[in-house]
Amino acid sequence: MSNYPDLPYALQTQSPTGYSANTSSGFRIGTSPLSAYPMAGEPTSPGWMNIASPPPQFAQHVPQPTYSHSQLRYPVLEPLLPHLGNLMPVSLACDLIDLYFASSSSAQMHPMSPYVLGFVFRKRSFLHPTKPRQCQPALLASMLWVAAQTSDAPFLTSVPSARGKICQKLLELTVSLLKPLIHTPSEESSPVSSPIVDGVALGGLGVALPGSISMDALTGETGAFGAAGSLDDVVTYIHLATVVSASEYKGASLRWWNAAWSLARELKLGRELPQNSPSMQNSRNEVDGEMGNIPGMITEEEREERRRIWWLVYIVDRHLALCYNRPLFLLDIECDGLLQPMDDTDYQNGNFHASYTDPNVLASDPNTPAVRHRGPSFVCTGHGIFGYFLPLMTILGEIVDLHHARNHPRFGVGFRSSREWDDQTAEITRHLEIYEESIKRFEHRNLSLSAQAQAADEKAAEAAGVPTASDVPHDAGTPSVQSVHSVHTSSSRMTESDIQTRIVMAYGTHVMHVLHILLTGKWDPINLLDDNDLWISSQGFITATGHAVSAAEAISNILEYDPGLEFMPFFFGIYLLQGSFLLLLIADKLQLEASPSVVKACETIIRAHEACVVTLNTEYQRNFSRVMRSALAQVRGRVPEDLGEQHQRRRELLSLYRWTGDGTGLAL
């Protein structure tokens, strides 16, 4: 343990002299996040989710760690060090913070960890050597927990059980410091000892007790019953919810997401703050030499943090509405005047311009990189999650609302005229067309001239029927084969910036086509296969089929430029799944009569699902991969003796995931 001299005990007998935070070999997600935790109670809810107050061991005095300040590269961690105790070396904690902010690309800021959905904080603010961002200890502990899930540090890997034990302790520490739903300022009395009504500590739920309401509280921004939590608490909830969402306990993650959404709403993150609002971070006004800030007033960085946190929970709200067949939590009207996040690179570099970010001044400079929209937008503006994925989630929110309105038990399809539904569908289709046009402009702005010429040549060759890289023969069951082929394609001769642009275009195009399918087609696989309303003979089916084949073609491009599907593993699975149901229907109904384009699309879907399983291993993807492989075998003429039994098993697997009125989607 020569790397960590401050550790008073050893977890392993041998340790390499160095370690790398490189995760290029793939994320060990299937075994790391929750595998060491005891899962008690109902099958969809881990036992530790029922924590309402700190565990007893954290109520006692925490022994002071024997750490050396020479080991502490990042002073931002100082509030957490007394709580870390002997859990891990200080140098490893610093390395995990580095990994949290690590980017998988040299050309764009893109999180390396699959559990960091987007950068809402500035790296320079956290890692500042003298004036770091002031952070709640719970947030810092959750950042270490997230990074520890995929770190290659020998402290976490040289003993098989080490990662699970460390992650479990970091989780317990995070929850004990966070005190779920308990956001009492530290100088007040402990909420644990507040009056109990029906088993609930009212003070712990942020409810003002009789006699405790001051005039400031009544006239302030949050009001008497407002949130006493902070931005840090919202992000801590996001970290906890993200890891649980990516596990097999998806339904349980909604408890944490609901806490994040509720607190974001209570903190009014969907609103722009008045110009002279007081700052919550008094020591941050001069970090990185930010100019034009009045001491004690909120900085542009704090404003941008608020925007990014809101738009991130907004994205996840719409994404999980599709995943779990639930209505939206956050409404478009709540953020109608909120500026869209600024460019990721500008944000990380601290390029805050008054004409670009001031909520009271419209961008009027013609040299401004891009006009920032207020409220939900349908335009692709950049390489990051807020640039290409946020507008898609805005449109998905509209589709989710329409879906639930159509399926309302009393005010559904029969309550309104068909023209009203058609008009609403046409308007959402127009929004998708706006996005499609914007992604073409995005390509023109960001691809180099040589890459644009190369793309034009590829399209011309494809139109002429000349085989391209994606047409190379392959084994549909081996995702790594495509990786080998892609080495010899044009992607190996492109710059990193061009590759990142092509990846964004491929993912954006795929999700866009899936949204077209969701708008005109059926969400539930059993209803789709049964086809009781003869939808398969309608114009909607023909339209949706075209988008399903186009989505599969986009997946071919994704596999060429991102063969491990590591660009957005947390989000990608549900769109891959919903874009595949229609192909399964065609393969099931037509079998030997299926067209070559459908067969090729099915092969592509199988490769993508198996690549997903390697990157983010989840049961529903393994199940659907087996279903799709069985259907593809029948399309190729390999009919098994127990065909009826295979159909029944296929139906049983699909029946686990229902998008009917009371279905819960992927949340088993």
Side-chain angles (χ1 to χ4, degrees):
M1 295 296 292
S2 57
N3 279 33
Y4 308 122
D6 54 325
L7 189 70
Y9 58 87
L11 285 184
Q12 62 266 12
T13 54
Q14 285 186 319
S15 176
T17 55
Y19 68 88
S20 168
N22 179 25
T23 59
S24 60
S25 59
F27 306 118
R28 296 173 304 284
I29 294 175
T31 58
S32 62
L34 300 164
S35 56
Y37 308 153
M39 298 301 180
E42 68 264 25
T44 59
S45 176
W48 49 262
M49 296 305 256
N50 295 320
I51 298 175
S53 59
Q57 63 267 30
F58 290 102
Q60 302 169 1
H61 176 69
V62 179
Q64 291 298 316
T66 56
Y67 61 84
S68 166
H69 275 277
S70 63
Q71 299 276 328
L72 184 62
R73 301 197 304 275
Y74 304 130
V76 70
L77 287 172
E78 281 188 0
L80 182 63
L81 293 183
H83 304 281
L84 273 182
N86 295 322
L87 180 59
M88 67 173 61
V90 175
S91 53
L92 175 58
C94 294
D95 292 338
L96 291 178
I97 289 292
D98 271 330
L99 181 57
Y100 179 91
F101 285 104
S103 174
S104 60
S105 168
S106 58
Q108 302 291 336
M109 283 294 294
H110 185 77
M112 180 176 289
S113 169
Y115 298 120
V116 180
L117 305 183
F119 290 125
V120 296
F121 298 123
R122 289 183 64 229
K123 181 177 181 178
R124 292 184 184 180
S125 289
F126 265 77
L127 308 189
H128 198 280
T130 56
K131 294 182 178 179
R133 182 189 188 278
Q134 291 181 337
C135 299
Q136 296 288 337
L139 171 64
L140 297 171
S142 72
M143 294 172 75
L144 298 186
W145 182 59
V146 165
Q149 309 293 336
T150 55
S151 170
D152 284 333
F155 189 84
L156 300 169
T157 58
S158 47
V159 174
S161 62
R163 184 189 305 275
K165 291 179 178 178
I166 295 297
C167 286
Q168 183 177 359
K169 290 178 180 178
L170 283 172
L171 171 62
E172 292 171 351
L173 176 60
T174 301
V175 172
S176 71
L177 292 170
L178 180 64
K179 303 178 181 66
L181 297 179
I182 298 175
H183 299 297
T184 304
S186 57
E187 66 271 11
E188 296 183 8
S189 60
S190 170
V192 178
S193 60
S194 65
I196 305 295
V197 178
D198 292 334
V200 176
L202 293 183
L205 294 175
V207 177
L209 300 176
S212 65
I213 303 176
S214 65
M215 288 306 297
D216 289 340
L218 288 171
T219 58
E221 174 74 9
T222 60
F225 303 100
S230 66
L231 290 180
D232 289 13
D233 294 321
V234 180
V235 180
T236 306
Y237 284 137
I238 291 172
H239 288 157
L240 292 166
T242 301
V243 177
V244 182
S245 292
S247 74
E248 302 298 350
Y249 297 90
K250 300 184 182 301
S253 71
L254 283 176
R255 303 179 191 179
W256 296 113
W257 284 121
N258 283 327
W261 295 327
S262 298
L263 187 54
R265 172 176 283 164
E266 291 174 31
L267 292 171
K268 297 182 173 62
L269 299 187
R271 301 183 188 176
E272 290 288 346
L273 288 177
Q275 195 61 25
N276 295 323
S277 299
S279 172
M280 300 298 292
Q281 301 285 346
N282 294 328
S283 67
R284 295 171 58 197
N285 288 313
E286 298 177 3
V287 171
D288 275 1
E290 192 177 321
M291 302 300 293
N293 291 321
I294 303 173
M297 293 295 104
I298 191 166
T299 65
E300 286 299 334
E301 180 175 342
E302 289 177 83
R303 293 181 187 277
E304 185 65 17
E305 282 183 3
R306 287 174 54 91
R307 295 176 192 126
R308 285 173 169 259
I309 293 169
W310 172 268
W311 289 120
L312 183 60
V313 294
Y314 175 97
I315 285 172
V316 176
D317 176 37
R318 277 130 184 84
H319 171 74
L320 294 185
L322 172 61
C323 289
Y324 302 155
N325 195 36
R326 46 171 289 277
L328 303 181
F329 190 104
L330 304 173
L331 307 178
D332 285 349
I333 193 65
E334 294 182 81
C335 53
D336 197 44
L338 184 67
L339 284 171
Q340 293 268 312
M342 64 188 295
D343 177 76
D344 282 345
T345 303
D346 285 342
Y347 176 55
Q348 291 297 330
N349 290 334
N351 295 332
F352 301 102
H353 307 294
S355 62
Y356 189 60
T357 64
D358 188 339
N360 294 319
V361 179
L362 293 175
S364 56
D365 184 356
N367 296 319
T368 299
V371 176
R372 292 178 72 182
H373 296 275
R374 286 180 178 273
S377 170
F378 314 121
V379 177
C380 173
T381 59
H383 291 81
I385 185 175
F386 301 113
Y388 78 93
F389 197 59
L390 174 55
L392 288 167
M393 292 300 95
T394 299
I395 300 172
L396 176 60
E398 298 176 337
I399 296 172
V400 167
D401 277 340
L402 177 60
H403 170 79
H404 288 293
R406 279 174 169 165
N407 291 281
H408 193 281
R410 291 181 299 282
F411 308 114
V413 173
F415 194 79
R416 294 166 58 182
S417 68
S418 60
R419 179 168 182 179
E420 289 183 73
W421 298 115
D422 292 343
D423 289 346
Q424 195 168 349
T425 301
E427 181 64 13
I428 297 175
T429 301
R430 188 179 71 84
H431 296 166
L432 285 166
E433 290 168 353
I434 291 173
Y435 182 85
E436 186 173 12
E437 287 300 316
S438 72
I439 207 167
K440 292 176 182 176
R441 294 194 299 271
F442 170 82
E443 175 185 20
H444 182 73
R445 284 198 312 270
N446 292 282
L447 273 186
S448 63
L449 292 177
S450 60
Q452 290 185 42
Q454 188 175 294
D457 292 343
E458 290 175 0
K459 290 179 181 177
E462 185 176 342
V466 177
T468 60
S470 60
D471 297 319
V472 177
H474 54 265
D475 176 5
T478 311
S480 60
V481 173
Q482 178 65 16
S483 309
V484 175
H485 292 316
S486 66
V487 173
H488 306 290
T489 67
S490 56
S491 63
S492 60
R493 300 191 298 273
M494 298 174 70
T495 65
E496 173 66 14
S497 178
D498 286 339
I499 290 174
Q500 288 297 310
T501 299
R502 295 293 288 267
I503 288 175
V504 168
M505 289 168 54
Y507 276 98
T509 301
H510 175 263
V511 177
M512 177 192 71
H513 285 298
V514 172
L515 296 190
H516 273 289
I517 296 170
L518 293 171
L519 179 60
T520 60
K522 296 181 179 180
W523 296 16
D524 187 76
I526 299 299
N527 287 351
L528 195 63
L529 291 174
D530 289 344
D531 194 34
N532 292 329
D533 57 357
L534 301 179
W535 179 72
I536 197 171
S537 59
S538 69
Q539 179 60 42
F541 170 78
I542 297 172
T543 302
T545 300
H547 287 294
V549 173
S550 297
E553 291 171 355
I555 291 176
S556 294
N557 291 330
I558 290 172
L559 288 170
E560 179 177 352
Y561 297 106
D562 182 27
L565 300 183
E566 297 172 1
F567 187 68
M568 47 180 285
F570 179 84
F571 294 107
F572 186 58
I574 185 62
Y575 307 101
L576 176 61
L577 183 71
Q578 283 287 349
S580 307
F581 285 155
L582 203 54
L583 295 173
L584 174 63
L585 170 67
I586 298 170
D588 186 77
K589 298 294 185 185
L590 300 182
Q591 296 190 12
L592 293 175
E593 298 177 13
S595 67
S597 62
V598 170
V599 174
K600 180 183 175 184
C602 291
E603 293 172 345
T604 303
I605 293 297
I606 291 173
R607 293 203 338 266
H609 270 288
E610 298 198 349
C612 274
V613 168
V614 173
T615 303
L616 193 66
N617 191 7
T618 53
E619 184 69 20
Y620 79 87
Q621 289 174 328
R622 294 193 296 272
N623 285 339
F624 190 75
S625 182
R626 288 197 292 270
V627 168
M628 204 70 183
R629 187 180 294 280
S630 169
L632 184 60
Q634 292 179 38
V635 168
R636 289 172 170 168
R638 295 201 294 267
V639 180
E641 293 181 2
D642 59 343
L643 180 60
E645 291 182 15
Q646 283 212 9
H647 275 277
Q648 182 60 29
R649 286 198 296 270
R650 185 187 307 173
R651 188 179 181 89
E652 289 173 357
L653 281 177
L654 292 174
S655 296
L656 295 172
Y657 314 105
R658 301 302 304 271
W659 276 266
T660 52
D662 59 347
T664 57
L666 303 179
L668 300 185

